[in-house]
């Protein structure tokens, strides 16, 4: 039962909003009550809260209250570093100061990331294991990496957190890998000579003493699914940016195997075992490389005999190396040797276990029984051909490991696809769990502030690049808007093609993703009203530009996943085999989610106005158009080009 000695959650929200100079927002009040009720009733909750609702405050206030009431921390998980930093650097400090006098103590908080994100003190001093350069490299890049390594060494002398994100400017993965370890490679605080001052352990200790722990979806998944007990004991989880949860969890549980991963294991086992045994694994890796280099990329539905034999050879060779290493606890009194052995065991285990997992992905009686998909990514000049394996669904894992253990609140501006939460709830594995879904709306008056323009007169998009009619339409819309345009394209190829075609044709500055860092491009775009910015996926979800610099969002086509994408196509087929509509459950859900995220770039502040222009006529004519339209904010809709250009010209004056 709620503790009557603590102020009601509505009162705490009112205190916080007043102190921060805000005003009452009906959606925020509805959300804070719903989150508190879900916590009290131990029932899962999905909350769609539009931009401007103040959803961070609406879940932080009841979370802090519960932490005080139960003497148990609440975990808040986000998908992006930007939101983590916003919570830890801005929202939580202000909220703690505001509510401290009305609660038993001032709320405390900490950020916790995966071990790879922290500098390993022991690796800085001991230098184990020695990482060799990749076989394919550009000498100039090696020089750049060397300078980055030197900067890390200098930074290591002064940092108090060891947090990679505090190393500015940042460094590449190759440089950072020299001074970080994964959880599996770590010696452990008790055995490591630097364990008492380990940055990752200190961060974990801080997290165990606070009211709110801020983390990310990947670490949340590792903690829940791999049983590594990274996060402190907790009863409540808030998943912000919950629309990204499935993709982030899928990334965590996807494994890969290539000649490079086998070579790493061979290098790490080094002189720890007899050379002929290590040579067997090296030869298995070479066989794997030759096979993958010759094979066509894509999904592998049936296991070819030669691939099965090669995977078995890799598996067995790795197992022999593991056996030759002897007991895992050996050399515990020699940290240097123990570190080398731990790194070798980790690399060998990953190779062995991934080969086993890939072999076990086959042999099912029917498509309904298939649980995982294996596919081959083609090699490039910078990366070898790589086999990957991923689950067809993570819903069962989430249901058992995340939702089965605690109360979970999931929130985002985009959760109700096609007007219902059912699509994402099914992907989360919440189908038969007790849960509630609510849409608390948005403070924006969408029909008055925005227009959704669907260019019905244009041809359907093809596979041969950006049609000339689309280029002409984009040019006319930008001219009417006087620039001020964010162009969201389904591929980098289309974004670059539009940029090349329009840079000389338009009288406004035109930036394209890849010209500079995305952060700097967005900054330039926001600071100059006439500037336009074209790009792809990260811009669909990562741009927050309120004010007159953004009056037009152009979306070139409905963002369905590529038909040849191995994972989404396999998931679609699997749903069909079970009697469902694979297209709607996978492809249409994916498209609806991205469309809603893209359209959400337009209105970011109360005074914002503008147009979302979708050039793909299928949004108005296809049989699935109603589902997609019901996933978008309720803008006023038109298909009349003249009406839209007149509106844009009026906004630009």
């Amino acid at each position: 039962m709620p503790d009557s000695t603590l102020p009601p959650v509505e009162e705490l929200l009112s205190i916080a909003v007043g102190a921060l100079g805000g005003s009452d927002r009906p959606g925020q009040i509805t959300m804070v009550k719903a989150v508190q009720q879900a916590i009290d009733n131990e029932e899962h909750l999905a909350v769609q809260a539009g931009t401007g609702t103040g959803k961070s405050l609406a879940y932080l206030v009841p979370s802090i209250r519960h932490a005080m009431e139960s003497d148990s921390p609440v975990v808040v998980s986000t998908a992006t570093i930007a939101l983590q930093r916003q919570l830890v650097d801005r929202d939580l400090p202000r909220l703690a100061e505001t509510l401290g006098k009305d609660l038993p103590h001032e709320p405390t908080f900490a950020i916790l990331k995966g071990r790879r994100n922290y500098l390993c003190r022991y690796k800085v001093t001991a230098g184990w294991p020695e990482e060799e350069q990749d076989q394919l490299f550009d000498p100039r890049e090696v020089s750049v990496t060397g300078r980055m390594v030197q900067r890390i060494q200098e930074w290591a002398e002064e940092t108090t957190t060891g947090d990679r994100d505090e190393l500015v400017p940042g460094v590449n993965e190759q440089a950072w890998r020299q001074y970080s370890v994964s959880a599996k490679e770590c010696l452990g605080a008790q055995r490591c000579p630097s364990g008492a001052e380990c940055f990752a352990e200190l961060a974990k200790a801080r997290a165990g003493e606070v009211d709110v722990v801020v983390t990310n979806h990947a670490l949340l998944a590792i903690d829940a699914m791999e049983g590594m007990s990274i996060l402190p004991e907790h009863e409540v989880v808030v998943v912000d940016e919950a629309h990204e949860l499935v993709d982030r969890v899928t990334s965590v549980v996807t494994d890969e195997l290539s000649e490079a991963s086998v070579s790493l294991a061979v290098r790490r086992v080094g002189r720890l075992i007899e050379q002929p045994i290590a040579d067997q694994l090296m030869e298995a890796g070479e066989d794997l490389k030759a096979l993958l280099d010759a094979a066509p990329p894509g999904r592998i539905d049936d296991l070819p005999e030669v691939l099965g034999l090669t995977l078995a050879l890799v598996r067995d060779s790795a197992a022999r190396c593991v056996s030759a290493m002897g007991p895992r606890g050996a050399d515990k009194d020699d940290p240097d040797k123990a570190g080398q052995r731990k790194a070798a065991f980790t690399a060998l285990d990953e190779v062995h276990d991934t080969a086993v997992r890939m072999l076990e992905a086959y042999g099912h009686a029917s498509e309904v029984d298939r649980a995982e998909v294996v596919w081959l990514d083609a090699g490039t000049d910078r990366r070898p051909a790589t086999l990957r394996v991923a689950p067809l669904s993570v819903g069962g894992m989430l249901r058992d490991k995340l939702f089965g253990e605690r109360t979970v609140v999931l929130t985002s501006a985009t959760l109700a696809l096609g007007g219902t939460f059912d699509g994402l709830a099914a992907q989360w594995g919440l189908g038969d769990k007790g849960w509630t879904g609510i849409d608390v709306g948005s403070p924006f008056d969408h029909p008055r502030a925005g227009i959704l323009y669907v260019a019905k007169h244009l041809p359907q998009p093809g596979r041969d690049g950006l049609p000339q009619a689309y280029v002409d339409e984009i040019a006319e819309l930008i001219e009417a808007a006087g620039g001020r345009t964010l162009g969201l394209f389904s591929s980098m190829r289309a974004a670059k093609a539009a940029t090349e075609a329009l840079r000389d044709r338009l009288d406004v500055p035109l930036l394209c993703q890849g010209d500079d860092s995305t952060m700097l491009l967005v900054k330039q775009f926001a600071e100059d009203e006439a500037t336009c910015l074209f790009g792809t996926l990260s811009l669909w979800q990562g741009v927050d530009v309120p004010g007159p610099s953004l009056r037009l969002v152009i979306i070139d086509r409905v963002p369905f996943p590529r038909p040849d994408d191995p994972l989404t196509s396999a998931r679609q087929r699997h749903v069909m085999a079970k009697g469902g509509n694979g297209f709607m459950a996978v492809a249409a859900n994916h498209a609806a989610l991205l469309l809603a995220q893209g359209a959400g770039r337009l209105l970011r502040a109360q005074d914002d106005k503008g147009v979302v222009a979708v050039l793909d006529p299928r949004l108005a004519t296809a049989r699935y158009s109603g589902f997609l339209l019901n996933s978008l904010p309720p803008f006023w809709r038109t298909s009349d080009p003249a009406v839209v250009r007149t509106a844009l010209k009026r906004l630009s004056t």
Side-chain angles (χ1 to χ4, degrees), residues 32 94 117 137 174 213 284 313 316 446 548 653:
V32 81
R94 294 163 66 189
N117 292 279
F137 65 88
Q174 189 176 46
V213 179
L313 182 61
D316 296 342
H446 285 94
T653 57

Side-chain angles (χ1 to χ4, degrees), residues 312-388:
L313 182 61
V314 170
R315 176 199 63 196
D316 296 342
S317 300
R320 281 192 287 272
C321 289
V322 169
S323 297
M325 290 274 291
R328 291 182 183 253
D331 298 309
K332 61 183 179 181
D333 297 326
D334 183 343
D336 285 349
K337 218 172 224 186
Q340 293 170 10
R341 287 172 55 80
K342 187 73 180 284
F345 273 123
T346 299
L348 290 169
D349 287 343
E350 288 178 358
V351 167
H352 174 270
D353 295 349
T354 302
V356 169
R357 183 178 171 189
M358 289 175 174
L359 289 167
E360 291 179 348
Y362 299 96
H364 45 271
S366 68
E367 181 59 36
V368 173
D369 300 317
R370 191 192 297 265
E372 301 206 286
V373 58
V374 178
W375 72 95
L376 174 62
D377 279 345
T380 66
D381 290 341
R382 302 174 59 86
R383 185 176 177 85
T386 302
L387 275 178
R388 303 185 195 280

Side-chain angles (χ1 to χ4, degrees), residues 138-181:
D138 182 330
R140 290 171 298 179
E141 289 188 13
V142 173
S143 176
V144 169
T145 298
R147 289 195 293 272
M148 289 180 176
V149 165
Q150 185 175 355
R151 278 207 302 112
I152 296 173
Q153 292 170 337
E154 294 168 354
W155 175 72
E157 297 295 323
E158 60 189 42
T159 179
T160 58
T161 66
D163 186 336
R164 179 179 181 177
D165 291 328
E166 295 181 12
L167 176 58
V168 179
V171 297
N172 63 29
E173 184 60 29
Q174 189 176 46
W176 183 253
R177 198 167 58 227
Q178 310 303 311
Y179 298 105
S180 67
V181 295

Side-chain angles (χ1 to χ4, degrees), residues 418-433:
T420 174
F421 293 89
D422 293 346
L424 284 178
Q427 292 183 23
W428 296 330
L430 273 180
D432 56 355
K433 289 276 186 184

